[in-house]
Amino acid sequence: MSEALHILKRHQLSNTDSRRTVLEVFLQSESALAHQDIERETGERFDRVTIYRTLQTFIDKGIVHTIPTADNGTKYALCRENCSEGHHHDNHVHFICDVCGKTSCLDDVAIPSVRLPEGFSVTKIDMVVNGICVECR
Amino acid sequence: MSEALHILKRHQLSNTDSRRTVLEVFLQSESALAHQDIERETGERFDRVTIYRTLQTFIDKGIVHTIPTADNGTKYALCRENCSEGHHHDNHVHFICDVCGKTSCLDDVAIPSVRLPEGFSVTKIDMVVNGICVECR
DNA sequence: AGTTAATTGCAACTCCGTTGCATTTTAACT
DNA sequence: AGTTAAAATGCAACGGAGTTGCAATTAACT
Ligand SMILES: [Mn+2]
Ligand SMILES: [Mn+2]
Ligand SMILES: [Zn+2]
Ligand SMILES: [Zn+2]
């Protein structure tokens, strides 16, 4: 059974053309993908709305997570850690290359802890680093 | 001379109604502001476009900086550090309260350094913390 | 006050994402 | 395999955020 199918099964999602295809695109991609990238990579076979809904489903199930980009766009990437329905616990830094524009999960780079002023509590931390990636230097 | 006027002078910006008023709104606000907040706080006296352009001017001059929000919106806040034309060097953590929704600059909380994999260089780091603020706990 | 350049308001437009609804597809059950 | 109910899809329409071109207005300087 294909990896994509396996993931769908594991999250009790029905095996539809768009879900399988979108998942395969993610599995083959090394960097995070924008909605447009997915439209293109799937050969424009699916309606924009279907892709939006597919992505939302994947987020809800903990299959992908979103990454905020500098220009207020969203990119999507597979969750490597064990995210579950309704709860993501990605704790890694995201990197955006100023040259090639690729957005990547630095899965091995944990977000450092930070000491907040008295009385503030933390539920979530996002850390996005811009710079030049190893391939573009 | 008012603080707002002083800031405009210092950055060689002409003293216009909208710029002065928008600056005053920032000076009186404790938290970061969305475009809509500014429209409202200025009493709908200015065209949306004028406010967008005013904000862009302030960003260019290093008077305000932007803060990415979880829902891909943008908030704006005064630069406290000495940002200059074309170069911001804000190095502080931003905090978004899950309860009151207020976004604030934690000017005293520096973004911790982070060790990236070999070959990656850094030009900019954003750190956005969600949680509950001191007033809402 | 008069001149010139910068700023503003308005209308139109693009881009991203969402919603309602009719049609199609999936999965479960004879 | 055929039937059926629920889920997923495509399409059209909509809404909000931000941008652009252009004519009218305003600020700065003499
Ligand atoms: Mn990631
Ligand atoms: Mn700030
Ligand atoms: Zn790169
Ligand atoms: Zn709060």
Side-chain angles (χ1 to χ4, degrees):
Chain A
M1 179 162 61
S2 82
E3 170 93 24
L5 232 122
H6 186 72
I7 294 176
L8 291 177
K9 272 259 164 68
R10 216 173 62 225
H11 291 90
Q12 300 164 37
L13 290 175
S14 52
N15 167 20
T16 71
D17 197 5
S18 71
R19 285 177 183 166
R20 227 180 322 102
T21 311
V22 171
L23 255 186
E24 272 156 13
V25 168
F26 274 113
L27 288 165
Q28 283 158 22
S29 171
E30 289 162 20
S31 53
L33 299 165
H35 175 271
Q36 275 210 0
D37 300 329
I38 298 168
E39 268 194 295
R40 182 171 23 77
E41 294 293 319
T42 53
E44 324 277 342
R45 278 203 296 130
F46 307 103
D47 192 84
R48 312 179 317 112
V49 179
T50 300
I51 293 177
Y52 277 118
R53 290 199 267 231
T54 300
L55 288 169
Q56 189 54 54
T57 302
F58 287 173
I59 291 167
D60 293 344
K61 290 289 187 175
I63 298 172
V64 306
H65 62 280
T66 59
I67 307 167
T69 67
D71 59 336
N72 278 354
T74 305
K75 295 216 171 180
Y76 305 84
L78 284 180
C79 297
R80 311 262 170 183
E81 295 138 60
N82 279 341
C83 295
S84 56
E85 182 135 7
H87 187 59
H88 288 264
H89 34 82
D90 302 296
N91 191 39
H92 55 269
V93 171
H94 291 120
F95 187 88
I96 304 177
C97 177
D98 296 330
V99 177
C100 65
K102 281 184 189 162
T103 300
S104 359
C105 297
L106 301 182
D107 292 291
D108 298 331
V109 182
I111 294 180
S113 68
V114 62
R115 192 179 166 74
L116 298 188
E118 197 66 33
F120 285 75
S121 66
V122 176
T123 56
K124 180 163 91 69
I125 307 186
D126 270 309
M127 189 163 186
V128 179
V129 178
N130 278 72
I132 300 175
C133 80
V134 65
E135 292 171 8
C136 290
R137 78 182 155 142
Chain B
M1 181 163 58
S2 82
E3 170 93 24
L5 235 127
H6 186 73
I7 295 175
L8 290 177
K9 272 259 166 66
R10 215 173 63 225
H11 291 88
Q12 301 163 37
L13 290 174
S14 52
N15 166 21
T16 71
D17 196 6
S18 72
R19 284 178 184 164
R20 228 182 320 101
T21 311
V22 170
L23 254 186
E24 271 155 14
V25 167
F26 274 114
L27 287 165
Q28 282 159 23
S29 171
E30 289 163 19
S31 53
L33 300 165
H35 174 271
Q36 274 211 359
D37 300 329
I38 298 168
E39 269 192 294
R40 181 170 24 76
E41 294 291 320
T42 52
E44 323 277 342
R45 281 202 294 131
F46 307 103
D47 192 83
R48 314 183 312 114
V49 180
T50 300
I51 293 177
Y52 277 118
R53 290 198 266 230
T54 299
L55 289 169
Q56 190 54 55
T57 301
F58 287 174
I59 292 167
D60 293 344
K61 289 288 186 176
I63 298 173
V64 307
H65 63 279
T66 58
I67 307 166
T69 68
D71 59 336
N72 277 358
T74 304
K75 295 217 171 179
Y76 304 84
L78 284 180
C79 297
R80 313 261 170 182
E81 295 138 60
N82 278 343
C83 294
S84 55
E85 181 134 6
H87 186 58
H88 288 264
H89 33 82
D90 303 295
N91 191 37
H92 56 269
V93 171
H94 290 121
F95 186 87
I96 303 177
C97 177
D98 296 332
V99 177
C100 65
K102 282 185 190 162
T103 300
S104 1
C105 297
L106 301 182
D107 291 291
D108 298 331
V109 182
I111 295 179
S113 67
V114 60
R115 194 180 164 72
L116 299 187
E118 197 67 33
F120 284 76
S121 66
V122 176
T123 56
K124 180 162 92 68
I125 307 185
D126 271 310
M127 188 163 186
V128 180
V129 178
N130 279 72
I132 299 175
C133 80
V134 64
E135 291 172 11
C136 291
R137 79 181 154 143

